[in-house]
Amino acid sequence: MAIPDSDWELLLDVVRQMTETRQLDPLLSYATEQALDLVGAEQGYLILLNDDGSLDFRVQFSSTPTKPPDPASQISESIVRQVLDTGEPLLSANAQTDQRLGSKASVQGLHIHSIMCLPLITRGRILGALYIENRSRQGVFDQNDMRRMRYFCSQAAVSIESAMLNDALETRVKTRNSRLQDANARLRKLLSLIHI
């Protein structure tokens, strides 16, 4: 079944907004919230992969009013690790009965039903993963959702990498400006001592 044109138009609007967002934190929040809206997920997490291999739970969104205090305890880390290790997305209409996932303690313990986890890859580098799920219903996500989210994640990864580079550049500029201000202050102090 083809994805309706109206869905593509909505997706293109979201992608356009992501490309126009230059700062990382607002971009991550926007991307996660939109991902949940696009597929009707109850909750989702945007997880970045640190250089040391640890997971950085940067953003979480939930349709429920209360957020769990520790996001790492609310996901199946083995699913996230599998997606990050293979670079391949994972979709399950019912993780509880899925032979690939049903034996995982986190899937059973968290009562996860519908789940999608997709890598965020740009230029061959895995930046992290988008993890979205429904616990109340099974069969929420289908192959059309997966196609949309693969496109979404490929575009999100490019925007995220851009925002990371922009944030790093801003940090370097602030550091350099601070050092210049310190050097100028020392120079003024030295000049004032010479004139005494």
Side-chain angles (χ1 to χ4, degrees):
M1 179 178 166
I3 298 170
D5 287 344
S6 59
D7 287 358
W8 280 117
E9 288 172 16
L10 176 61
L11 188 54
L12 288 171
D13 285 342
V14 170
V15 168
R16 192 175 301 114
Q17 180 64 40
M18 285 194 296
T19 60
E20 293 172 359
T21 306
R22 289 300 195 212
Q23 293 182 313
L24 185 59
D25 287 337
L27 170 62
L28 297 178
S29 294
Y30 177 79
T32 308
E33 185 175 18
Q34 293 304 309
L36 267 65
D37 285 347
L38 285 167
V39 295
E42 289 176 342
Q43 60 187 13
Y45 301 85
L46 201 148
I47 306 157
L48 296 181
L49 184 61
N50 291 322
D51 290 338
D52 64 0
S54 61
L55 301 179
D56 181 0
F57 292 83
R58 290 302 289 267
V59 180
Q60 67 179 51
F61 271 94
S62 176
S63 60
T64 59
T66 56
K67 290 183 179 179
D70 177 20
S73 69
Q74 295 300 307
I75 65 144
S76 173
E77 186 172 337
S78 57
I79 289 175
V80 173
R81 289 287 180 191
Q82 177 184 325
V83 167
L84 292 173
D85 290 345
T86 64
E88 292 297 322
L90 182 142
L91 165 69
S92 180
N94 187 0
Q96 296 287 306
T97 59
D98 191 323
Q99 290 182 347
R100 301 167 300 164
L101 309 175
S103 62
K104 296 183 186 299
S106 56
V107 169
Q108 295 299 325
L110 294 169
H111 308 290
I112 299 169
H113 287 290
S114 299
I115 184 168
M116 261 197 295
C117 187
L118 302 97
L120 298 162
I121 304 173
T122 179
R123 293 186 297 163
R125 177 183 169 212
I126 298 178
L127 302 178
L130 176 67
Y131 177 99
I132 51 182
E133 65 177 34
N134 274 56
R135 295 187 187 177
S136 63
R137 291 185 299 134
Q138 61 185 353
V140 175
F141 311 132
D142 60 22
Q143 288 300 325
N144 277 341
D145 293 321
M146 177 61 88
R147 278 192 286 277
R148 277 187 294 177
M149 295 315 294
R150 285 182 87 148
Y151 175 77
F152 174 90
C153 285
S154 69
Q155 299 301 310
V158 172
S159 295
I160 289 168
E161 182 184 48
S162 237
M164 285 175 159
L165 292 171
N166 186 62
D167 280 8
L169 180 60
E170 285 186 3
T171 299
R172 283 198 298 270
V173 167
K174 284 178 186 173
T175 301
R176 186 167 293 154
N177 285 343
S178 176
R179 287 179 183 162
L180 283 172
Q181 287 173 352
D182 290 346
N184 283 337
R186 287 194 301 272
L187 182 59
R188 281 193 301 272
K189 185 175 181 182
L190 182 59
L191 289 173
S192 70
L193 291 173
I194 290 172
H195 291 302
I196 290 176

